[in-house]
Structure formats: C-alpha cells, structure tokens
Amino acid sequence: MRMLWDSLPVLAQDIGLLIVLLLPALLTGLLVLRGYAPWPLLRGFLSRFRTSAALFVLLIAISVGMGVGLLAQERGLRHGTAQAADKFDLIVAAPGSELTALFASVFLQPSDMALISGATYAEIETHEHVAIAAPLAFGDSYGTAPVVGTTAEFLRHLSDDRIEGSLWQDHDEAVIGALVPLQIGAQFTPAHGVGDAADAEAHGDEHGHGDGITVTGRMAPTGTPWDRAILIPVEYVWEIHGLANGHAPDRDTQIGPPFDPEYFPGTPAVVIRSDELWANYALRSEFTRDGETMAFFPGAVLSGLYRVMGDVRQAMSLMALVTQVLVAASVLLGLFILTRLFRRQIALLRALGAPRRFVFATVWAFSAALLLSGAVLGLGVGWGAAELLSRVVTARTDIAISAPLGWGELHFLAGFVSVTMLLSLLPAAMVLRQPVVDGLRS
C-alpha cells in the first residue's frame, strides 16, 4: 500500500489526503441525517438565534484563520528566500561562517568578513569551468541603500539583462535597484558604513567620500534585497578607500576583469557561475581549502537553515495542535451553551412526538452549520492574514514573499472540521438526556 501511495502524483496524494481527512465528517453527516431533512427547522433556529450564532461563527473563523495564515506564511517565507538565492550558484569566501557569508552576499546584511587575496581570485577567475567570477565589495551606503561593488557581468546575470538606461561606462557611474529612491541621471556621494552614522555622512558629514557617482541605469525588480542596492564598479569601491583598483597603473581606467593579482586589494566574497551544473560541484570541492577559502552552495546553506526552521515548525505545530485541541474544547463548550438557548423548542418537539433521532439530527445539523460556516470564513481570514503578513515581511526584509493558500492549509482545515463535527455529537446527545418537562418549563 505504501509503494502504491508513493507512486501516485503529488496532486493525487494531496487530493487523497484531503478526502481522508474529510471522510469522518462526511460519514458522520450521512449517518446522522439519514432519512431526515431538518432544514426548515434548522433555518428557524439560525434565524431565531442569529446574533449568538454569528458570534460563534466569528470566533471559529478567527481561530481557524490564525492557523491557516501562519502555515501559509511559513511556506511563503521559504519560497521567497530560496528565490532570493537563485542567482547565486556558488559563493567562495574566506573561512568562517557560511551563514554569515550567505547573509552578507545574498541578503546584503552588514558583516565583518576576511578578504580573499588577488592570487586566489585570479585562480578562480581563470578556471576553465568558470563563466562568471564576480567579486563583491561591501561596506558603503547611501541613505538606507547599500552600495555594492561588483562587475558588469554579474549585474547582467542578476537582472537577467533587464536594465532601464545603460550599464556604467566609467568608474564613477552606478546602476540602482528597482526600489532605490533615485532617478537616472541623479548624482550622489556614498558614505562609509551602514546605519545612523552612515546616514549622517551621506548628508554632508566629513566622513562622506568620493567625488560623486552618477546613476546611469536601473535594474528591473528582482524581488530580492538587491532591489534596494546601488551597484557600482568594484574598482571605484577600492579607489574611494585609497586602495589600488585591481589593475596595473597603465590600465587603471579599465573596468571589470581581468584583474591584476598584484593590485587586487581583496574581496570578501566571489560569486561563481558555471555553464555546467556538474562543474559547480567540482569547483566547490576545489576551492574549499583549509585556512584559505570556503566554497558553498547558498541553497545548501538555506536547506540547513530550513531544517532548523523545520524543527521549530514541529514545535510550533505541536503548540498549534494543543491550541486547536483547546479551541475544539471551547467549541464543544460553546455548543453546549448554544443548545440551551433552544432547550424549550427541543422539549416542545419531543412533547409533540418527534423521533429522538430527528431531534438529535436537528441539533447536530445546527452545530455543523455553524462549524462549516466558521471554517469557510476562517479560510478567508487566513488568506487575508497571510497576505498582510507577507506585506509586512516583504517591507522589512526586501524579499518578495507570496503566501497563497495551498494544500497544507486545506488539510489543516479538513482535519479541524472532522474533529469538531465528531465532537458536536456530544451536545446533540446531551439534549436527548434532558427531561422534557423541565425543558417546557424553562
């Protein structure tokens, strides 16, 4: 059976699991309502106690919506971070923390990193399987936008060659990300560092450096933190810090590779792209050297991070399960309270000779209607919560997060419906145990 299940397409598995989770609720409904149609009476109850019923539905919707929204947001966060690292096939950095190097190179988080020497970079750049070897130079900013030095080849790769305006033609020119609040043709002076001090420098403090950079182009949106970055030739980053610009004096106006190892000041990270997938693994092995360099796949580091997040998610799932058990218990208690609202009407039905199973079916149908309404409304609340959280996370991280509802949320909802449908049998049964006379006197 397990082999048969594993052989099914993913879509078939998702649909099958949804059916299995809904099956208890469907079977319960068929067995309870078999032979009876309490719909007119049900409409009367819902109309008579519409305020209480509406509040009950709203509470269920909020509870379900919170669970659905968090599940969708967690999946959206994984997808968004994976998309942000998609253009970074292989990164080579000085030995240290791969996670630190990942956050600095891919997500542009300020970090202190050791530098790769010119000789090592030249070995990477001239390797036969390397198509792009882009040095990255961090540490400067303009306002809240990080200024990153790199090469034109990497810029084309990062933007899929979708650039409004033109690439830089001189050292003091820049291409900006889609969300940088500058216009093509504008000039700015970068500041050293990131944060409050850098902001002051950018507004004319004596620490601002450089003679001014002209914006020549703007990248199309990438959905990554690079949308808020300013990209300039790596040579200019070195020059404004008083270093050699990577080229011999007789070629000091050159932009981009090849670089001269003797005049290469060093770079914290090199982004490598190979034309062959298998070559990336060979390059990672070759440039992982004790005490000299480390090479890693950003996707692999993110996978490790996801495993940690998975452990946290399991703990969160356990907490969510406990929460849902408490919610189910609250639903059960609420149903007991609601059934007491129409205790007199139920007693009158029984006094008129209505079959006990018809009364049982009517009470259960009333509970089921509230639960289904709350669950469906909760799906909408969860979608809205996921969209709101996505916008907040995107604004804070500059990573495009999209969290549409998926099969996981539908499975969660189906499990909740089935459990609460079964629990709603208890208040329906308790109604039949109440004395008819006491009900008529209530």
Side-chain angles (χ1 to χ4, degrees):
M1 182 63 71
R2 177 68 181 182
M3 293 180 61
L4 176 62
W5 175 260
D6 291 339
S7 66
L8 293 175
V10 175
L11 179 60
Q13 291 182 0
D14 287 330
I15 295 175
L17 182 57
L18 181 66
I19 293 173
V20 169
L21 290 172
L22 284 175
L23 200 57
L26 294 174
L27 292 177
T28 301
L30 290 174
L31 292 175
V32 171
L33 298 175
R34 182 173 57 87
Y36 294 108
W39 314 123
L41 194 58
L42 176 61
R43 287 194 295 270
F45 283 160
L46 291 173
S47 176
R48 173 69 175 80
F49 305 106
R50 55 182 174 274
T51 302
S52 301
L55 290 175
F56 194 71
V57 168
L58 183 61
L59 290 175
I60 296 174
I62 294 174
S63 171
V64 171
M66 289 176 62
V68 167
L70 288 175
L71 287 175
Q73 186 59 38
E74 191 270 344
R75 187 184 67 255
L77 186 59
R78 289 190 182 211
H79 183 265
T81 52
Q83 286 290 104
D86 185 56
K87 294 292 184 179
F88 297 78
D89 296 352
L90 182 67
I91 295 176
V92 178
S97 168
E98 292 181 350
L99 195 58
T100 299
L102 171 73
F103 284 160
S105 303
V106 178
F107 300 105
L108 300 180
Q109 297 298 307
S111 301
D112 291 329
M113 298 172 60
L115 302 180
I116 295 175
S117 67
T120 301
Y121 175 79
E123 188 177 353
I124 297 172
E125 180 190 10
T126 57
H127 196 286
E128 60 179 334
H129 295 304
V130 172
I132 297 176
L136 301 180
F138 313 111
D140 293 335
S141 64
Y142 176 73
T144 59
V147 176
V148 183
T150 186
T151 64
E153 291 82 3
F154 177 71
L155 175 55
R156 291 193 186 97
H157 169 64
L158 184 66
S159 63
D160 290 324
D161 221 4
R162 295 182 300 155
I163 299 174
E164 177 189 355
S166 63
L167 280 172
W168 53 64
Q169 302 296 324
D170 203 348
H171 288 196
D172 57 352
E173 294 180 346
V175 174
I176 59 177
L179 300 180
V180 175
L182 290 172
Q183 300 297 323
I184 295 177
Q187 289 190 330
F188 68 95
T189 300
H192 180 64
V194 179
D196 295 337
D199 290 343
E201 295 163 7
H203 286 84
D205 189 87
E206 66 272 13
H207 300 290
H209 53 262
D211 297 327
I213 299 175
T214 302
V215 177
T216 63
R218 181 188 297 273
M219 290 194 299
T222 64
T224 71
W226 291 79
D227 285 340
R228 294 193 182 276
I230 299 174
L231 285 75
I232 64 176
V234 68
E235 289 88 349
Y236 194 66
V237 175
W238 292 327
E239 288 172 353
I240 60 180
H241 288 89
L243 304 172
N245 69 1
H247 304 290
D250 60 334
R251 295 188 297 110
D252 62 352
T253 60
Q254 179 180 331
I255 300 178
F259 294 100
D260 191 327
E262 295 183 8
Y263 297 92
F264 190 89
T267 181
V270 179
V271 179
I272 296 177
R273 178 171 176 78
S274 175
D275 291 334
E276 300 290 342
L277 179 61
W278 64 268
N280 287 323
Y281 292 90
L283 291 169
R284 182 184 64 170
S285 177
E286 184 171 348
F287 290 107
T288 299
R289 303 169 179 174
D290 291 339
E292 186 176 348
T293 57
M294 65 176 183
F296 63 92
F297 297 130
V301 177
L302 284 175
S303 295
L305 183 61
Y306 295 155
R307 283 195 294 271
V308 175
M309 290 175 61
D311 294 339
V312 175
R313 187 187 187 191
Q314 289 180 0
M316 293 288 289
S317 298
L318 180 60
M319 295 176 61
L321 179 61
V322 173
T323 302
Q324 291 306 313
V325 170
L326 295 176
V327 170
S330 301
V331 169
L332 182 62
L333 179 61
L335 290 175
F336 276 114
I337 295 173
L338 284 177
T339 53
R340 294 187 66 85
L341 293 177
F342 47 85
R343 180 182 178 187
R344 187 168 183 273
Q345 288 82 353
I346 294 298
L348 182 60
L349 279 175
R350 294 177 60 189
L352 293 174
R356 292 171 61 87
R357 202 165 71 80
F358 175 79
V359 175
F360 180 87
T362 302
V363 176
W364 183 86
F366 178 80
S367 302
L370 298 183
L371 291 169
L372 284 175
S373 300
V376 173
L377 183 59
L379 197 61
V381 171
W383 176 81
E387 287 293 316
L388 179 61
L389 286 173
S390 295
R391 293 184 181 183
V392 172
V393 174
T394 298
R396 290 183 176 273
T397 65
D398 296 324
I399 301 173
I401 304 295
S402 177
L405 300 184
W407 286 103
E409 292 71 55
L410 294 178
H411 295 156
F412 169 82
L413 188 66
F416 177 81
V417 168
S418 287
V419 170
T420 52
M421 288 289 190
L422 291 173
L423 289 176
S424 63
L425 295 172
L426 296 177
M430 289 297 296
V431 167
L432 299 180
R433 298 175 59 87
Q434 297 173 357
V436 175
V437 175
D438 293 344
L440 292 174
R441 291 174 177 174
S442 62

